[in-house]
Amino acid sequence: MLVEVRNLSKTHQSPGGGAPVDILKGLDFELEPGGTAAILGPSGAGKSTLLNILAALDYADSGTVRVAGLDPAVLRGNELVEFRRRTVGMIFQMHHLLPQCSVIENVLAPSLADRRQARVNAETLARELLDWLGLAHRLDHRPSELSGGERQRVAVARALSGAPRLLLADEPTGALDRANAQQLSGLLLELNRARKVALLVVTHSRELAGKMEQVWELQDGKLVKAS
Ligand SMILES: Nc1ncnc2c1ncn2[C@@H]1O[C@H](COP(=O)(O)OP(=O)(O)O)[C@@H](O)[C@H]1O
Ligand SMILES: [Mg+2]
C-alpha cells in the first residue's frame, strides 16, 4: 500500500482553553500506489486534519500512519524536506503562490537548495509539467497576472515538481468557477494516469468525487465508503 492508516485518532485543543475536541476517532484508510480516492464530508469533519497528518504538517495522537512505508511523524530535518517534495505533494483551495515570483520561479522554489544536477532535472520536469498544464506561455508572469484556474494549475506544477508518489488535494476546485473546476479535475486525472501519481482529493463536489476509484465520507471521526 502507498498509504496505510490504522486506528488514527486526533484531538484538537480548543483555542479558548475549553475541553479538547476529538476530531478523528479510530480512522482507517488505505490507498494503493497510483490509486485515486475522494473524501467527502461536512465542514469541520476533520478532512484537512487528515490530509495534514499524511503530509507531515500535523501529527496523530495515536494509531499508525504510513506513507510509502514512512511514518510522517518521526521525520526530521532533511528527511522531512525530502518527504514533502518527493513522497507527497499538496494543493489547497487557495494557491499559496509567492506573489513576487514568476510562474517558473514558484515551481522551482522547492528545488533551489538542490545540488546542480538535481536542479537541472527539476527544471526540466517543471517546464514539462507547465507545458503539459497549458502554461508554457505564462512562465514569466506573476500570480497576480493569471486567472484563478491558471494559478491553481501552477500550484499543481509546484506540488508535482519533486515527482511525488502521492498528490493530496484539499478542496482544489473550491475557489474555481465550474469551467475551471472541470478543467482542473480532468487534468488531475490525466496526471494520475500519465505519471502514476496517486490522488487523494477532499472535495464538496460529487462530480469530482465520482471520478475517483474510491469515494469515502468522513463521518463522526471515521471514514466510511460512500459508494
Ligand atoms: N490546529 C487546530 N487547533 C484547534 N482546532 C483545530 C485545529 N485545526 C482544526 N481544528 C478544528 O478541528 C475541526 C476539524 O477541522 P478540519 O480538519 O479543518 O475540518 P474540515 O477540513 O473537514 O473542514 C474543526 O472544528 C476545526 O475548528
Ligand atoms: Mg478543510
Side-chain angles (χ1 to χ4, degrees):
M1 285 293 154
L2 178 61
V3 180
E4 276 191 89
V5 175
R6 295 271 169 269
N7 207 16
L8 166 63
S9 292
K10 174 71 181 176
T11 300
H12 279 310
Q13 301 306 317
S14 296
V21 189
D22 296 331
I23 305 298
L24 305 177
K25 306 177 199 173
L27 177 149
D28 295 310
F29 177 70
E30 292 187 343
L31 186 62
E32 290 174 6
T36 61
I39 297 178
L40 300 161
S43 183
K47 305 179 299 297
S48 295
T49 299
L50 174 61
L51 260 55
N52 289 341
I53 290 170
L54 295 175
L57 298 170
D58 200 349
Y59 56 87
D61 291 324
S62 61
T64 311
V65 178
R66 293 289 180 276
V67 181
L70 300 166
D71 177 355
V74 305
L75 303 172
R76 295 288 177 270
N78 210 36
E79 282 174 342
L80 188 57
V81 172
E82 287 291 292
F83 178 82
R84 290 205 187 116
R85 289 181 53 205
R86 303 198 188 282
T87 305
V88 300
M90 195 160 177
I91 59 172
F92 304 88
Q93 186 166 352
M94 303 310 291
H95 53 80
H96 296 301
L97 298 174
L98 302 169
Q100 71 279 25
C101 292
S102 68
V103 164
I104 186 78
E105 286 167 348
N106 264 287
V107 176
L108 289 175
S111 57
L112 282 179
D114 285 358
R115 289 168 185 281
R116 194 182 135 69
Q117 188 54 48
R119 265 203 335 267
V120 170
N121 295 345
E123 175 141 7
T124 305
L125 176 59
R127 288 180 184 278
E128 197 181 308
L129 283 166
L130 287 164
D131 190 21
W132 203 84
L133 289 160
L135 292 163
H137 59 306
R138 292 278 186 272
L139 298 187
D140 297 320
H141 286 56
R142 315 229 170 258
S144 61
E145 297 163 342
L146 303 176
S147 72
E150 287 173 331
R151 284 196 281 261
Q152 198 59 318
R153 280 183 274 143
V154 178
V156 171
R158 184 180 54 181
L160 296 181
S161 65
R165 301 182 60 191
L166 173 65
L167 181 66
L168 300 169
D170 195 350
E171 302 191 31
T173 62
L176 300 178
D177 62 40
R178 195 175 152 75
N180 275 298
Q182 277 186 334
Q183 183 190 32
L184 189 76
S185 309
L187 284 167
L188 291 177
L189 281 157
E190 282 181 50
L191 284 164
N192 165 255
R193 291 195 198 107
R195 297 188 174 269
K196 310 274 180 276
V197 57
L199 292 179
L200 178 54
V201 180
V202 165
T203 183
H204 291 290
S205 161
R206 293 255 163 200
E207 190 180 334
L208 174 53
K211 293 180 173 146
M212 303 293 142
E213 291 153 4
Q214 311 173 22
V215 182
W216 298 85
E217 192 143 350
L218 189 42
Q219 279 178 7
D220 194 25
K222 291 197 173 78
L223 281 174
V224 292
K225 274 263 161 85
S227 57

